[in-house]
PDB file of all heavy atoms in Angstrom:
ATOM      1  N   GLY A 193       7.128   4.181   5.431  1.00  0.00           N
ATOM      2  CA  GLY A 193       8.145   4.521   6.415  1.00  0.00           C
ATOM      3  C   GLY A 193       9.292   5.303   5.824  1.00  0.00           C
ATOM      4  O   GLY A 193       9.376   5.514   4.606  1.00  0.00           O
ATOM      5  N   ARG A 194      10.192   5.715   6.704  1.00  0.00           N
ATOM      6  CA  ARG A 194      11.384   6.457   6.301  1.00  0.00           C
ATOM      7  C   ARG A 194      12.535   6.056   7.213  1.00  0.00           C
ATOM      8  O   ARG A 194      12.355   5.849   8.412  1.00  0.00           O
ATOM      9  CB  ARG A 194      11.140   7.962   6.377  1.00  0.00           C
ATOM     10  CG  ARG A 194      12.323   8.818   5.934  1.00  0.00           C
ATOM     11  CD  ARG A 194      11.941  10.280   5.896  1.00  0.00           C
ATOM     12  NE  ARG A 194      10.929  10.527   4.887  1.00  0.00           N
ATOM     13  CZ  ARG A 194      11.185  10.755   3.608  1.00  0.00           C
ATOM     14  NH1 ARG A 194      12.446  10.765   3.177  1.00  0.00           N
ATOM     15  NH2 ARG A 194      10.219  10.984   2.754  1.00  0.00           N
ATOM     16  N   VAL A 195      13.719   5.927   6.616  1.00  0.00           N
ATOM     17  CA  VAL A 195      14.909   5.532   7.368  1.00  0.00           C
ATOM     18  C   VAL A 195      15.481   6.743   8.087  1.00  0.00           C
ATOM     19  O   VAL A 195      15.636   7.818   7.482  1.00  0.00           O
ATOM     20  CB  VAL A 195      15.966   4.910   6.430  1.00  0.00           C
ATOM     21  CG1 VAL A 195      17.184   4.458   7.219  1.00  0.00           C
ATOM     22  CG2 VAL A 195      15.369   3.741   5.652  1.00  0.00           C
ATOM     23  N   LEU A 196      15.780   6.564   9.370  1.00  0.00           N
ATOM     24  CA  LEU A 196      16.331   7.642  10.184  1.00  0.00           C
ATOM     25  C   LEU A 196      17.636   7.196  10.817  1.00  0.00           C
ATOM     26  O   LEU A 196      17.974   6.007  10.832  1.00  0.00           O
ATOM     27  CB  LEU A 196      15.339   8.043  11.287  1.00  0.00           C
ATOM     28  CG  LEU A 196      13.945   8.492  10.828  1.00  0.00           C
ATOM     29  CD1 LEU A 196      13.079   8.773  12.034  1.00  0.00           C
ATOM     30  CD2 LEU A 196      14.037   9.707   9.927  1.00  0.00           C
ATOM     31  N   MET A 197      18.363   8.168  11.358  1.00  0.00           N
ATOM     32  CA  MET A 197      19.609   7.890  12.057  1.00  0.00           C
ATOM     33  C   MET A 197      19.305   7.432  13.481  1.00  0.00           C
ATOM     34  O   MET A 197      18.465   8.027  14.169  1.00  0.00           O
ATOM     35  CB  MET A 197      20.490   9.145  12.084  1.00  0.00           C
ATOM     36  CG  MET A 197      21.817   8.973  12.792  1.00  0.00           C
ATOM     37  SD  MET A 197      22.656  10.577  13.006  1.00  0.00           S
ATOM     38  CE  MET A 197      22.783  11.132  11.314  1.00  0.00           C
ATOM     39  N   ASP A 198      19.983   6.386  13.922  1.00  0.00           N
ATOM     40  CA  ASP A 198      19.858   5.943  15.304  1.00  0.00           C
ATOM     41  C   ASP A 198      20.605   6.922  16.203  1.00  0.00           C
ATOM     42  O   ASP A 198      21.777   7.214  15.979  1.00  0.00           O
ATOM     43  CB  ASP A 198      20.430   4.531  15.455  1.00  0.00           C
ATOM     44  CG  ASP A 198      20.137   3.936  16.823  1.00  0.00           C
ATOM     45  OD1 ASP A 198      19.707   4.674  17.723  1.00  0.00           O
ATOM     46  OD2 ASP A 198      20.350   2.720  16.992  1.00  0.00           O
ATOM     47  N   ALA A 199      19.908   7.443  17.223  1.00  0.00           N
ATOM     48  CA  ALA A 199      20.526   8.439  18.094  1.00  0.00           C
ATOM     49  C   ALA A 199      21.736   7.883  18.831  1.00  0.00           C
ATOM     50  O   ALA A 199      22.641   8.636  19.216  1.00  0.00           O
ATOM     51  CB  ALA A 199      19.506   8.958  19.109  1.00  0.00           C
ATOM     52  N   ASN A 200      21.792   6.563  19.032  1.00  0.00           N
ATOM     53  CA  ASN A 200      22.921   5.948  19.732  1.00  0.00           C
ATOM     54  C   ASN A 200      23.992   5.424  18.781  1.00  0.00           C
ATOM     55  O   ASN A 200      25.018   4.918  19.242  1.00  0.00           O
ATOM     56  CB  ASN A 200      22.428   4.793  20.615  1.00  0.00           C
ATOM     57  CG  ASN A 200      21.491   5.255  21.692  1.00  0.00           C
ATOM     58  OD1 ASN A 200      21.743   6.253  22.358  1.00  0.00           O
ATOM     59  ND2 ASN A 200      20.378   4.544  21.870  1.00  0.00           N
ATOM     60  N   ALA A 201      23.752   5.521  17.492  1.00  0.00           N
ATOM     61  CA  ALA A 201      24.726   5.018  16.524  1.00  0.00           C
ATOM     62  C   ALA A 201      24.929   6.017  15.389  1.00  0.00           C
ATOM     63  O   ALA A 201      25.270   5.635  14.272  1.00  0.00           O
ATOM     64  CB  ALA A 201      24.267   3.677  15.957  1.00  0.00           C
ATOM     65  N   GLY A 202      24.726   7.287  15.664  1.00  0.00           N
ATOM     66  CA  GLY A 202      24.945   8.329  14.666  1.00  0.00           C
ATOM     67  C   GLY A 202      25.319   9.613  15.365  1.00  0.00           C
ATOM     68  O   GLY A 202      25.075   9.790  16.570  1.00  0.00           O
ATOM     69  N   GLY A 203      25.931  10.513  14.652  1.00  0.00           N
ATOM     70  CA  GLY A 203      26.368  11.758  15.267  1.00  0.00           C
ATOM     71  C   GLY A 203      26.539  12.863  14.251  1.00  0.00           C
ATOM     72  O   GLY A 203      26.644  12.618  13.038  1.00  0.00           O
ATOM     73  N   ARG A 204      26.551  14.078  14.765  1.00  0.00           N
ATOM     74  CA  ARG A 204      26.772  15.263  13.940  1.00  0.00           C
ATOM     75  C   ARG A 204      27.952  16.043  14.499  1.00  0.00           C
ATOM     76  O   ARG A 204      28.135  16.110  15.717  1.00  0.00           O
ATOM     77  CB  ARG A 204      25.528  16.156  13.930  1.00  0.00           C
ATOM     78  CG  ARG A 204      24.327  15.518  13.254  1.00  0.00           C
ATOM     79  CD  ARG A 204      23.103  16.399  13.329  1.00  0.00           C
ATOM     80  NE  ARG A 204      21.988  15.817  12.584  1.00  0.00           N
ATOM     81  CZ  ARG A 204      20.767  16.318  12.547  1.00  0.00           C
ATOM     82  NH1 ARG A 204      20.507  17.449  13.217  1.00  0.00           N
ATOM     83  NH2 ARG A 204      19.816  15.724  11.857  1.00  0.00           N
ATOM     84  N   VAL A 205      28.732  16.604  13.596  1.00  0.00           N
ATOM     85  CA  VAL A 205      29.909  17.388  13.978  1.00  0.00           C
ATOM     86  C   VAL A 205      29.606  18.851  13.674  1.00  0.00           C
ATOM     87  O   VAL A 205      29.349  19.206  12.519  1.00  0.00           O
ATOM     88  CB  VAL A 205      31.162  16.914  13.216  1.00  0.00           C
ATOM     89  CG1 VAL A 205      32.370  17.733  13.627  1.00  0.00           C
ATOM     90  CG2 VAL A 205      31.405  15.435  13.472  1.00  0.00           C
ATOM     91  N   GLN A 206      29.627  19.697  14.719  1.00  0.00           N
ATOM     92  CA  GLN A 206      29.348  21.121  14.581  1.00  0.00           C
ATOM     93  C   GLN A 206      30.476  21.934  15.211  1.00  0.00           C
ATOM     94  O   GLN A 206      31.169  21.459  16.116  1.00  0.00           O
ATOM     95  CB  GLN A 206      28.025  21.472  15.273  1.00  0.00           C
ATOM     96  CG  GLN A 206      26.813  20.786  14.666  1.00  0.00           C
ATOM     97  CD  GLN A 206      25.556  21.034  15.469  1.00  0.00           C
ATOM     98  OE1 GLN A 206      25.253  20.322  16.410  1.00  0.00           O
ATOM     99  NE2 GLN A 206      24.814  22.071  15.078  1.00  0.00           N
TER     100      GLN A 206
END
Side-chain angles (χ1 to χ4, degrees):
R194 182 174 295 275
V195 182
L196 303 177
M197 180 189 302
D198 189 348
N200 297 315
R204 294 177 176 175
V205 180
Q206 297 174 273

